[in-house]
Amino acid sequence: ESVHGLHTMEETSREAVATAVQRVAGMLQRSDQLDKVEQYRRREARKKASVEARLKAAIQSQLDGVRTGLTQLHSALLDVKDIQGSLADVSKDWRQSINTIENLKDVKDAVVQHSQLASAVENLKNIFSVPQIVSGTTLLIEQAELLQAHRKLMELECSRDDLMYEQYRMDSKNTSDMNLISIYFEDVQELSDELAKQLWMVLQRAIVTVRRDPTMLVSVVRIIEREEKIDRRMVDRKKQTGFIPPGRPKRWKDKMFEVLECTVGTRIEGTQSVTREADKMWLVRLLEITRKYVLDDLIIVKNLMVQCFPQHYDTFNRFFGLYHNAVSARVKELASEDLEANEIVSLLTWVLNTYKSEEMMGHSELYSECDINQLEPLLPQDVVDELLSKYVQTFTSNITGWLRKALETDKKDWQKETEPEADQDGYYQTTLPAIVFQMFEQNLQVAAQIDGDFKEQVLKLCLKQMNTFLIRYREEAMTYKEEHLRDRQLPLCYVQYMIAIINNCQTFKESINSLKRKYSQSSEPTDSDAAIERTLNEVAKEGCQFLLDEVFLDLEHHLNELLTRKWVTGSHAVDTICVTVEDYFNDFNKIKKPFNQEMTSEALRRVVVEYIKAVMQKRITFKNADERREGAERMIKEADQFKFLFRKLAGEDTDRLCGAIAAIAEVFKLTDPTLLFLEVTTLVSKYPDIREEHIQALLAVRGDASREMRQMIIGTLSENKVSYSGLTQPIFKDITVPTITMTTMTTMTSMATAKLLK
């Protein structure tokens, strides 16, 4: 090791010399640095002296530490030797005293007996005066001096418990002595029970007591807290000794919360003052009373009762939870009853909206103390869904009955001898749309109180029921028309009420759109929209058709006069037709748009079609050119009458329809038969829906077209037939030309023969 140490020192010396050489070489690289050699040498000498001084100080410090450590080790060695000697002495003394300890058993027993006697002496005063203390304490309880009564009770219990404990220590198996003590102090347990009853009575009236006598409530809480401490002490002693006095632990604190919970539950259950039989609004009243009780009670708890309980009880939140649970239990009971539709709505509106609103649990005075968003729902979602489903079923059944009843009432009005009421614009109407949509509106307002999604559901249900109702409405309108046709004198105001039925369709449309704007957040059409629109249009269209049928039943006789010999010689048929139509349209002006415009257009079309039908039925054949000219001029005049009338009624363009009569008249008016083909071609170009049989009928009425001429015209037109599929207002399409059957020919032949014979 010494050789290795010398070797290490030599290496270190060589490294030091090499480092020094390197530093000197670095300082003397230039010739001008040689002048500073002495200065460099002094500086290095100072550094060397400083390093040596620090080394000496460090070495000296280490030496001092080693010296101190050696001294302490020497002292420790001496202490260890002393301890060894002491332990040997203790061991010797312990062996000598074993026999002495065994001889002290009698002394130990005497000490235990002395302790018991001391306890008995200490409690002697209470032991001998137990009956007097019990009666005095009972009086204090009756006088509501609860704190003093509890103090006396604690003294009695303490005496009993101490005696029992000493007896247990002396002889835990001696049950007879223990029973003797229990029997002597049996009134103490009854006294404790009586005091407890008084405490629970005060707690049951806590909401009232805290306002009238808060000190009483504070006393009750203090007594319960004292008992809790005694319970804890006795339980701890049982863990150490195995002994616990009878009746412990009392757990009065737990009982207190049970009493408060029952009190809150009873208060909530006691809010029902009336039954459904006595008052239809029983549930609304019950819920409002509950709301008021809960809110008032919680405000009292926050402002007064919290101060009567220790802070660690978290009194407000505890009461908040008790009231929430009690209300939840109550509304579950209500939900399980056989509720009517309006009662379901009242309950769900209260549960889902009112309960957490500012009117109740979200009230400004309670808001700072609790978070209502942490509350569990009053009703489970499955119960809510079940109630909503039940409401929908009941609502569906009810609304079907309501709509049926409303329609029956409206049908009775249709039989009245007085005209229906008119709205502010003078249009006839019945009360049916208002009644129907008032029902819908009321139910939607109710549904909106519950939930947005439920409101949409009820709206869809209303529209679905509306569609079913309108189908029935259409059937009843048809029946109304059929009954009228059996006796056209009845009902007296058939036309006016049919107009009201048509107008109701427009009112229904407007009301449906209004409901959707007001109660639907969705812009998407519902499943019922298209069906409702289609049914309403059909009811209105059919109603207009029924009215026109009524008009043309009155015109039938006059239409049959057209293009007859009577008409040629002079007839007022068209004058009567125009007067009759105008008279009817004085009532038809009470039809709402757009149905009134469609009505006028259809009336004009039917008049023109019936007129042309009269031509096509070949009621006459013109005998000569003068007769054709007079007949044609009459047709043109009557076409102008129709134009004037319907422009007056609707202000519409009537040229095309009335022009068909004039165009046919031109065919009749033509004097040169050779130009007949051109005239017919012009007619066909204007009215491409005209068919071959129509042309043949016209030529037959004209009376001067040869068979070859007719064949040439028909053949040429057939080759150059024009399509009319895109025609917006066909006229001739629905006009049929009567064919001559064998029966008709036989009849005509017989008539001709009879005429010749005559």
Side-chain angles (χ1 to χ4, degrees), residues 554-696:
D554 283 351
L555 297 180
E556 186 175 8
H557 173 69
H558 306 293
L559 289 169
N560 288 335
E561 283 187 15
L562 298 175
L563 275 292
T564 61
R565 279 293 155 198
K566 184 179 179 182
W567 175 79
V568 171
T569 57
S571 167
H572 298 291
V574 170
D575 295 334
T576 307
I577 288 169
C578 290
V579 169
T580 305
V581 169
E582 186 170 10
D583 182 53
Y584 268 104
F585 268 83
N586 285 332
D587 282 333
F588 295 168
N589 286 332
K590 305 290 179 65
I591 298 176
K592 289 183 177 181
K593 294 179 180 179
F595 305 126
N596 60 353
Q597 296 166 331
E598 295 171 4
M599 182 90 162
T600 309
S601 300
E602 180 61 17
L604 172 59
R605 194 190 74 81
R606 281 185 68 170
V607 166
V608 171
V609 166
E610 292 296 328
Y611 195 100
I612 296 174
K613 275 184 181 178
V615 176
M616 297 302 169
Q617 286 171 1
K618 297 176 281 189
R619 295 171 183 170
I620 61 167
T621 300
F622 292 121
K623 296 177 178 178
N624 52 49
D626 289 340
E627 199 172 80
R628 281 192 292 275
R629 177 180 52 77
E630 289 174 5
E633 287 175 354
R634 188 176 186 85
M635 288 174 69
I636 292 168
K637 177 190 171 187
E638 289 173 348
D640 288 338
Q641 282 182 266
F642 292 145
K643 277 186 185 180
F644 177 78
L645 171 63
F646 284 97
R647 278 180 180 168
K648 179 181 175 183
L649 294 177
E652 289 187 352
D653 179 20
T654 58
D655 289 347
R656 174 170 171 74
L657 286 166
C658 295
I661 299 174
I664 292 171
E666 291 298 329
V667 173
F668 293 154
K669 190 177 179 183
L670 189 68
T671 55
D672 187 355
T674 59
L675 299 175
L676 194 57
F677 173 73
L678 292 175
E679 198 64 50
V680 171
T681 305
T682 303
L683 175 65
V684 172
S685 65
K686 286 183 179 178
Y687 303 96
D689 60 322
I690 198 167
R691 298 190 299 276
E692 290 178 10
E693 59 265 31
H694 296 141
I695 303 298
Q696 288 177 343

Side-chain angles (χ1 to χ4, degrees), residues 398-622:
N398 287 348
I399 206 164
T400 302
W402 293 334
L403 290 172
R404 186 183 298 111
K405 187 176 180 181
L407 184 53
E408 291 299 324
T409 304
D410 207 53
K411 279 169 57 184
K412 289 178 182 176
D413 290 345
W414 297 352
Q415 307 298 328
K416 287 182 178 179
E417 296 182 359
T418 54
E419 293 183 355
E421 295 179 0
D423 64 11
Q424 65 269 24
D425 297 319
Y427 297 119
Y428 286 139
Q429 63 178 8
T430 67
T431 56
L432 183 63
I435 292 170
V436 169
F437 283 94
Q438 186 178 10
M439 287 189 291
F440 287 167
E441 179 93 21
Q442 288 172 352
N443 283 280
L444 284 166
Q445 285 175 352
V446 165
Q449 295 173 5
I450 296 175
D451 180 65
D453 292 338
F454 184 62
K455 175 187 66 179
E456 295 275 357
Q457 184 183 347
V458 171
L459 176 60
K460 288 180 181 177
L461 183 61
C462 288
L463 295 177
K464 185 178 179 183
Q465 291 295 315
M466 184 70 192
N467 186 40
T468 306
F469 166 76
L470 289 175
I471 293 170
R472 178 108 185 273
Y473 190 54
R474 180 186 179 191
E475 293 169 353
E476 293 295 345
M478 182 78 74
T479 304
Y480 183 52
K481 171 243 187 180
E482 291 170 353
E483 290 175 352
H484 169 70
L485 290 179
R486 293 192 192 103
D487 181 357
R488 293 189 60 217
Q489 302 304 313
L490 297 173
L492 200 63
C493 295
Y494 167 78
V495 170
Q496 289 80 1
Y497 277 99
M498 187 58 75
I499 291 172
I501 290 170
I502 296 167
N503 288 340
N504 285 349
C505 294
Q506 186 62 22
T507 307
F508 278 132
K509 285 185 181 182
E510 293 167 358
S511 300
I512 288 169
N513 291 332
S514 174
L515 278 184
K516 289 171 68 177
R517 283 194 303 271
K518 188 171 181 180
Y519 292 102
S520 178
Q521 304 298 321
S522 172
S523 58
E524 295 294 321
T526 67
D527 297 338
S528 306
D529 285 357
I532 289 173
E533 181 77 14
R534 184 171 60 252
T535 306
L536 284 171
N537 287 337
E538 287 171 353
V539 173
K541 187 176 178 181
E542 289 171 358
C544 292
Q545 198 72 35
F546 298 160
L547 290 175
L548 287 178
D549 289 345
E550 185 74 5
V551 175
F552 281 87
L553 281 172
D554 283 351
L555 297 180
E556 186 175 8
H557 173 69
H558 306 293
L559 289 169
N560 288 335
E561 283 187 15
L562 298 175
L563 275 292
T564 61
R565 279 293 155 198
K566 184 179 179 182
W567 175 79
V568 171
T569 57
S571 167
H572 298 291
V574 170
D575 295 334
T576 307
I577 288 169
C578 290
V579 169
T580 305
V581 169
E582 186 170 10
D583 182 53
Y584 268 104
F585 268 83
N586 285 332
D587 282 333
F588 295 168
N589 286 332
K590 305 290 179 65
I591 298 176
K592 289 183 177 181
K593 294 179 180 179
F595 305 126
N596 60 353
Q597 296 166 331
E598 295 171 4
M599 182 90 162
T600 309
S601 300
E602 180 61 17
L604 172 59
R605 194 190 74 81
R606 281 185 68 170
V607 166
V608 171
V609 166
E610 292 296 328
Y611 195 100
I612 296 174
K613 275 184 181 178
V615 176
M616 297 302 169
Q617 286 171 1
K618 297 176 281 189
R619 295 171 183 170
I620 61 167
T621 300
F622 292 121

Side-chain angles (χ1 to χ4, degrees), residues 293-463:
Y293 276 15
V294 171
L295 180 58
D296 291 349
D297 288 1
L298 286 176
I299 290 174
I300 291 170
V301 170
K302 179 203 169 197
N303 295 331
L304 298 175
M305 198 173 289
V306 167
Q307 301 167 19
C308 299
F309 289 83
Q311 189 172 359
H312 66 271
Y313 276 31
D314 194 16
T315 306
F316 180 80
N317 285 322
R318 188 178 288 272
F319 270 93
F320 197 78
L322 291 177
Y323 274 95
H324 175 73
N325 294 337
V327 172
S328 179
R330 185 67 179 119
V331 296
K332 285 175 184 174
E333 288 177 9
L334 292 171
S336 65
E337 294 185 15
D338 186 20
L339 297 177
E340 297 176 358
N342 62 319
E343 293 168 350
I344 291 173
V345 169
S346 298
L347 181 63
L348 288 179
T349 303
W350 194 87
V351 167
L352 299 177
N353 299 319
T354 305
Y355 184 69
K356 288 188 178 181
S357 71
E358 293 181 359
E359 297 176 10
M360 198 168 174
M361 302 307 247
H363 193 274
S364 55
E365 285 209 47
L366 309 180
Y367 191 77
S368 60
E369 298 293 329
C370 61
D371 183 2
I372 56 173
N373 296 319
Q374 298 299 318
L375 287 173
E376 291 291 323
L378 281 180
L379 285 176
Q381 189 58 44
D382 60 327
V383 176
V384 173
D385 293 341
E386 185 179 344
L387 286 173
L388 290 176
S389 175
K390 184 178 178 183
Y391 172 81
V392 168
Q393 291 174 2
T394 309
F395 169 70
T396 304
S397 174
N398 287 348
I399 206 164
T400 302
W402 293 334
L403 290 172
R404 186 183 298 111
K405 187 176 180 181
L407 184 53
E408 291 299 324
T409 304
D410 207 53
K411 279 169 57 184
K412 289 178 182 176
D413 290 345
W414 297 352
Q415 307 298 328
K416 287 182 178 179
E417 296 182 359
T418 54
E419 293 183 355
E421 295 179 0
D423 64 11
Q424 65 269 24
D425 297 319
Y427 297 119
Y428 286 139
Q429 63 178 8
T430 67
T431 56
L432 183 63
I435 292 170
V436 169
F437 283 94
Q438 186 178 10
M439 287 189 291
F440 287 167
E441 179 93 21
Q442 288 172 352
N443 283 280
L444 284 166
Q445 285 175 352
V446 165
Q449 295 173 5
I450 296 175
D451 180 65
D453 292 338
F454 184 62
K455 175 187 66 179
E456 295 275 357
Q457 184 183 347
V458 171
L459 176 60
K460 288 180 181 177
L461 183 61
C462 288
L463 295 177

